[in-house]
């Protein structure tokens, strides 16, 4: 396999087209999607591939599907509570599961992902594995544990995913990461994942971890994600650095991670080239290397493009954790 | 004056519309501009307001102005050298200066700004003060000197601009900053500006400074920038942090800065609210506060919008400092 550039790795996560690159292509491309809306809210909440819209066992009165203007609307009353909208969504998804309409629904997790209206107002929630069918934004946290070695410089705690994991088995991973369910805040989610995946005690996280930014990109799912190809998954990943003492050893806690090892910066860069990283973890580690002065405008030819592509302004309303 | 939110400060620098926010408005808005091109290169290099195009004393054979498709093309041969293109540009600007066509040309600096083709190929250069007439990307560096005080936490070296400076007099400024001329690389430019503006010796910069990212935004010039209003200035600012010893004192070197003082994080945040910062320096200091865990998703309501707006993917070809 040819060595991958860092930009190629980014493009595996941010692969939805940009209007500015070719406005005519973009207009044509958008005709492949329906907008997902909720009655009473003007904003588009996600894009659904037309073939997904065709397959869904829509329930009359609950849903309005306008094939002319390509809009799918959840028809709760405009002033309905989130619970009412959630029931409409659950009813539809239950029917789709029953009819085995979509492969992605086999990955049911009983984990709810939130959907927001403009201003960060909570609108409703839906089962995590169904979210790419509606193309809504999904939220998560990623963190990198590292040490500053006097001789070898920065070293990163890198995990290797279990060989038996359903998605991206055996690939390299950040120190910890995970999705944010309804009601969770980034910091609380990060503390939880640090403990669950990397056995980092809460007190250590609170002392050593720092919020350092957010990665945003627009992912078109491919075969490696599992399930239907071409579903949209715009993602927002809040990022934390955890500066650890040299003698702090990261250990797997659950069965998702095979092992953890301290990697030098050179080892990390080489493994990126070899395509060994789970794509959205590569995004986070490339950002880490940029913020820590390892990847610079003078040694990374695609510096500007990488930064812009990993901080994409997603075209849907977003969460606010303080109003 | 009402307190300003951080997003409002960002919007003072990133105020060109986004297609996704309102595609129809965007299409209409774009009819106010001509695309600036160079013969033989397909890419658009900048946007010129129609009234600027009307005023320019275009020289026949040197330039082709197509008012139908709204394109201004510099008509050097497709395989011309940069020097040939530069001569065409210089000839035009000399005539515009002679005729006193544009106010911004009164700020002539004898400083050349580069223009790149796709792939980071150097196409040509032009006088700095003329660049907003063509709406080309301008490049610069900004840096923040800081200390970690055991009692008071992070403290930032903040400059106050001279009261007699033509632009943004008396406003707060980063530790050092400056524009990148043709041929200069970000790191070399940063070293030079650190010495010139903040008396930071090269050796200190090399030991203490770190490349930490890049801010990109699309600025529509207002009255405060001086000269014609509504000219476009898409900007790319490479960012450096300089972690200094507590006893390192930053002193002004030239007359551009009135004084330097160490500010606590609370003082910095309060001065942002009061609108005391030069707008594009506010962008850099807000990014600093985000990367250092001071502004977080839990205390900054516009966290996501701020990050996306300050890492905008500009629609023109960009520099590469390694090919």
């Amino acid at each position: 396999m040819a060595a991958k550039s860092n930009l190629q790795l980014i493009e595996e996560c941010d692969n939805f087209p940009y209007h500015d690159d070719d406005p005519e292509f973009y207009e044509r491309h958008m005709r492949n999607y329906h907008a997902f809306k909720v009655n009473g809210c003007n904003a588009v909440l996600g894009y659904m591939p037309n073939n997904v819209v065709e397959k869904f066992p829509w329930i009359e009165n609950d849903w309005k599907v306008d094939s002319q203007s390509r809009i799918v609307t959840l028809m709760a009353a405009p002033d309905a509570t989130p619970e009412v909208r959630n029931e409409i969504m659950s009813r539809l998804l239950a029917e789709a599961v029953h009819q085995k309409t979509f492969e992605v629904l086999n990955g049911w997790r009983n984990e709810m992902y939130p959907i927001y209206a403009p201003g960060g107002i909570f609108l409703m929630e839906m089962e995590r594995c169904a979210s790419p069918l509606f193309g809504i934004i999904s939220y998560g946290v990623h963190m990198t544990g590292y040490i500053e070695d006097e001789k070898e410089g920065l070293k990163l705690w890198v995990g290797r995913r279990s060989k038996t994991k359903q998605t991206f088995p055996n690939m390299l991973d950040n120190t910890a990461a995970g999705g944010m369910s309804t009601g969770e805040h980034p910091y609380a989610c990060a503390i939880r994942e640090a403990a669950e995946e990397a056995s980092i005690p809460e007190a250590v996280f609170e002392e050593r971890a720092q919020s350092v930014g957010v990665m945003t990109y627009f992912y078109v799912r491919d075969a490696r994600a599992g399930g239907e190809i071409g579903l949209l998954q715009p993602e927002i990943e809040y990022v934390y650095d955890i500066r650890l003492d040299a003698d702090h050893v990261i250990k797997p806690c659950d069965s998702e991670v095979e092992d953890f090892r301290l990697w030098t910066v050179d080892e990390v860069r080489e493994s990126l080239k070899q395509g060994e990283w789970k794509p959205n973890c590569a995004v986070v580690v490339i950002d880490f290397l940029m913020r820590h002065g390892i990847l610079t405008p003078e040694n990374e030819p695609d510096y500007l493009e990488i930064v812009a592509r990993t901080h994409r302004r997603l075209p849907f309303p977003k969460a606010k954790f303080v109003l």
Side-chain angles (χ1 to χ4, degrees), chain A residues 73 96 115 136:
Chain A
T73 309
I115 307 177
I136 60 165

Side-chain angles (χ1 to χ4, degrees), chain A residues 86-159:
Chain A
N86 296 346
E87 276 171 38
I88 292 178
M89 180 61 84
S90 298
R91 201 147 51 221
L92 174 72
L93 295 180
E95 186 56 30
V97 167
H98 178 70
Q99 297 189 16
K100 301 191 196 314
T101 315
F102 299 108
E103 221 183 305
V104 283
L105 295 182
N106 295 336
W108 201 271
R109 299 172 76 131
N110 284 315
E111 205 182 319
M112 298 305 263
Y113 269 12
I115 307 177
Y116 300 92
I121 311 296
F122 177 67
L123 261 184
M124 58 177 291
E125 61 182 3
M126 69 189 298
E127 159 63 25
R128 173 171 176 168
C129 76
S131 62
L133 294 169
F134 288 84
I136 60 165
I137 290 176
S138 67
Y139 298 84
V141 299
H142 281 245
M143 64 205 80
T144 303
Y146 71 102
I147 66 165
E148 286 188 12
D149 187 276
E150 279 190 23
K151 282 184 207 155
E152 299 187 90
L154 284 185
K155 297 180 85 170
L156 284 67
W157 279 105
V158 175

Side-chain angles (χ1 to χ4, degrees), chain A residues 41-204:
Chain A
C41 171
N42 214 8
V44 176
L45 307 172
Y47 301 146
M48 308 177 69
N50 295 342
N51 63 351
V52 166
V53 175
E54 283 157 25
K55 278 188 199 162
F56 251 118
W58 301 112
I59 296 166
E60 236 187 297
N61 300 324
D62 278 2
W63 297 88
K64 185 175 151 194
V65 179
D66 181 340
S67 326
Q68 205 60 38
S69 45
R70 296 195 316 281
I71 301 174
V72 170
T73 309
L74 186 152
M75 293 302 290
D79 60 348
T81 59
E83 288 69 29
V84 172
R85 300 187 188 106
N86 296 346
E87 276 171 38
I88 292 178
M89 180 61 84
S90 298
R91 201 147 51 221
L92 174 72
L93 295 180
E95 186 56 30
V97 167
H98 178 70
Q99 297 189 16
K100 301 191 196 314
T101 315
F102 299 108
E103 221 183 305
V104 283
L105 295 182
N106 295 336
W108 201 271
R109 299 172 76 131
N110 284 315
E111 205 182 319
M112 298 305 263
Y113 269 12
I115 307 177
Y116 300 92
I121 311 296
F122 177 67
L123 261 184
M124 58 177 291
E125 61 182 3
M126 69 189 298
E127 159 63 25
R128 173 171 176 168
C129 76
S131 62
L133 294 169
F134 288 84
I136 60 165
I137 290 176
S138 67
Y139 298 84
V141 299
H142 281 245
M143 64 205 80
T144 303
Y146 71 102
I147 66 165
E148 286 188 12
D149 187 276
E150 279 190 23
K151 282 184 207 155
E152 299 187 90
L154 284 185
K155 297 180 85 170
L156 284 67
W157 279 105
V158 175
R160 188 175 291 279
R161 294 164 73 85
S162 153
K163 289 188 184 65
T164 58
K165 228 179 135 100
Q166 230 184 335
T167 54
F168 308 100
N170 208 34
M171 298 192 91
L172 299 178
D173 207 327
N174 302 130
T175 311
M180 276 165 63
S181 309
T182 306
E184 222 175 9
H185 284 210
Y187 190 82
C189 179
I191 282 207
R192 183 177 56 70
E193 292 289 351
E196 282 179 15
E197 295 198 342
S199 313
I200 297 173
E202 256 190 61
V204 172

